[in-house]
Amino acid sequence: MGPDVVDLARTRLVYVAPAAGRSGVGDYADDFLAEVAPHFLDVVDYRIETEGAETAREVLAHARRIRALVKASSAQGPTLVHFEQSGGSLSVFWASLLRGVTVTATVHDPPYPVWWPFKTKSVGRHRLLHHAVHYPFRIVTTALQRRVLRGRTVFALTTMGADSIRRTFPRSHPVAARIFVPARPDLTPPAERPLAVGLFGHVYRGKGFDLIGRLREELDVDIDIRAAGRGTAALPAMDGVTLVGEVNGPDEDRFFESIRLLLVPYSKHNPYGKAYPASSAVTRSFAYGTPIVCITEGALAETVERGGAVGVDSVDDLAAAVLDVVRDGARLDDLTRQVDAVRRADAMTHCAAVFLDAWSAGASVDAAEYSAR
């Protein structure tokens, strides 16, 4: 971290993130920016609408526009540029290759700011091509990211994530922050809710929605399984499983009030290495006072240590853990108290303060003067 104190009230923030609705990171960005924006002189909010299916031309266009915005802002006075970076965010990563201006980033899928930096729309369409482009050149892309992060302050939303960045990019400045628990209304205590468990989030590989059939076979027939989130309405129908679809506002409230536990059977194993992302599904569950049952994979081990979660070693143990807890009112009440403690500790104001303090203390700058080269 730099030695100079920064007056954020005299500093402009250029904020770059995926658009809301494109990914969980985009949804996170809306709430996070609303919290930190009042601390700055002004904010330029730049969102990537092409997240997840970008052409090389779109990536280049975004990078050029962001560079121009940063140059214009720097000409007017002190400027901080912050990026929300996730594993597949191409434009966000390539646009972050700035010099001569204070740049920070939140790395949502640590340790790497981007895992597949050349996965454009055309490359991602062909699985073999995707791996042919990325897997043999892991050393090269890691070296590129080491160069980009050298001297740069980066935030991870778990301690394990920050530690993984420190190991992989020892010349960066990782800061351990927390993913905030959003404000939500208080609901009926889990022990008094219907006898049901849920899965929540965007349906894609590794999130565990493919395990619903197996869980249905292993759980008692009177325990309903409910799945909510983007893409869940299109999952195969089966007896004893309620497919809710995407939920927002009061629909989201009703979903969480209809379950006693949220299942988080994530598996982030891939041939490129282990990732340590924080889970927005977990924070959403905690926001409603709902305990979780999860596989202690990656940063979820840290979630279990903090409380409000029952951790298991493998998929094979998930159903047994649910059966051990879901009818036990005393155990549910104890887990709920733990959830409430995390909910208070990780409220938005507390989580945002870590960023504001780091920015105020002075983040690294790559050169004395911004250049558009």
Side-chain angles (χ1 to χ4, degrees), residues 33-71:
L33 182 59
E35 179 68 23
V36 301
H39 296 269
F40 288 88
L41 174 67
D42 192 16
V43 173
V44 178
D45 183 12
Y46 188 94
R47 297 305 179 94
I48 308 294
E49 295 282 353
T50 54
E51 169 83 3
E54 303 175 274
T55 65
R57 180 174 294 182
E58 287 169 337
V59 172
L60 182 59
H62 283 305
R64 285 174 172 168
R65 291 188 201 114
I66 291 165
R67 184 179 290 270
L69 287 173
V70 172
K71 184 178 181 182

Side-chain angles (χ1 to χ4, degrees), residues 89-349:
S89 298
L90 300 197
S91 291
V92 176
F93 172 72
W94 290 107
S96 74
L97 274 62
L98 299 169
R99 295 295 179 192
V101 65
T102 305
V103 177
T104 64
T106 300
V107 179
H108 285 266
D109 294 304
Y112 297 102
V114 63
W115 284 70
W116 304 287
F118 308 110
K119 192 180 179 181
T120 59
K121 185 176 182 179
S122 58
V123 171
R125 196 178 290 132
H126 306 283
R127 185 170 179 271
L128 290 179
L129 177 61
H130 158 59
H131 290 300
V133 167
H134 290 100
Y135 195 79
F137 300 103
R138 288 168 297 153
I139 294 176
V140 175
T141 55
T142 298
L144 169 64
Q145 294 188 66
R146 284 200 180 107
R147 183 176 180 86
V148 172
L149 295 189
R150 185 174 57 201
R152 181 169 291 182
T153 298
V154 289
F155 301 86
L157 300 180
T158 64
T159 300
M160 292 179 73
D163 289 343
S164 74
I165 294 172
R166 187 173 293 107
R167 289 191 300 269
T168 309
F169 304 104
R171 298 185 67 182
S172 66
H173 300 300
V175 176
R178 296 286 182 202
I179 184 170
F180 62 86
V181 175
R184 290 293 187 272
D186 292 330
L187 304 180
T188 303
E192 300 173 22
R193 298 178 193 172
L195 186 59
V197 296
L199 290 90
F200 177 81
H202 188 183
V203 177
Y204 62 85
R205 186 178 180 183
K207 294 297 284 289
F209 288 96
D210 56 315
L211 300 174
I212 290 178
R214 178 175 173 180
L215 289 167
R216 180 63 283 166
E217 292 176 357
E218 296 179 356
L219 292 177
D220 295 343
V221 294
D222 60 337
I223 301 173
D224 189 25
I225 297 177
R226 300 174 59 81
R230 296 173 197 148
T232 55
L235 292 172
M238 64 183 73
D239 293 338
V241 176
T242 303
L243 302 175
V244 181
E246 185 172 359
V247 291
N248 296 291
D251 290 335
E252 184 182 77
D253 302 346
R254 283 189 287 271
F255 169 73
F256 278 98
E257 196 156 36
S258 72
I259 63 172
R260 296 186 180 185
L261 295 166
L262 185 76
L263 306 188
V264 188
Y266 293 177
S267 177
K268 297 295 183 180
H269 289 292
N270 71 77
Y272 294 85
K274 181 175 283 190
Y276 296 88
S279 171
S280 58
V282 170
T283 58
R284 195 66 56 87
S285 186
F286 281 10
Y288 288 106
T290 308
I292 71 166
V293 175
C294 66
I295 301 172
T296 51
E297 170 74 20
L300 285 170
E302 187 172 309
T303 300
V304 173
E305 289 176 1
R306 298 188 69 208
V310 177
V312 298
D313 293 330
S314 68
V315 171
D316 297 335
D317 302 321
L318 275 171
V322 170
L323 293 172
D324 189 48
V325 175
V326 73
R327 302 179 196 273
D328 188 337
R331 183 83 183 278
L332 283 171
D333 287 343
D334 185 49
L335 286 167
T336 302
R337 285 190 288 271
Q338 296 173 27
V339 167
D340 288 341
V342 176
R343 183 183 182 185
R344 292 191 298 271
D346 292 355
M348 170 65 87
T349 302

Side-chain angles (χ1 to χ4, degrees), residues 5-18:
V5 174
V6 175
D7 185 355
L8 299 184
R10 297 176 180 272
T11 302
R12 288 178 176 82
L13 172 65
V14 178
Y15 187 75
V16 183

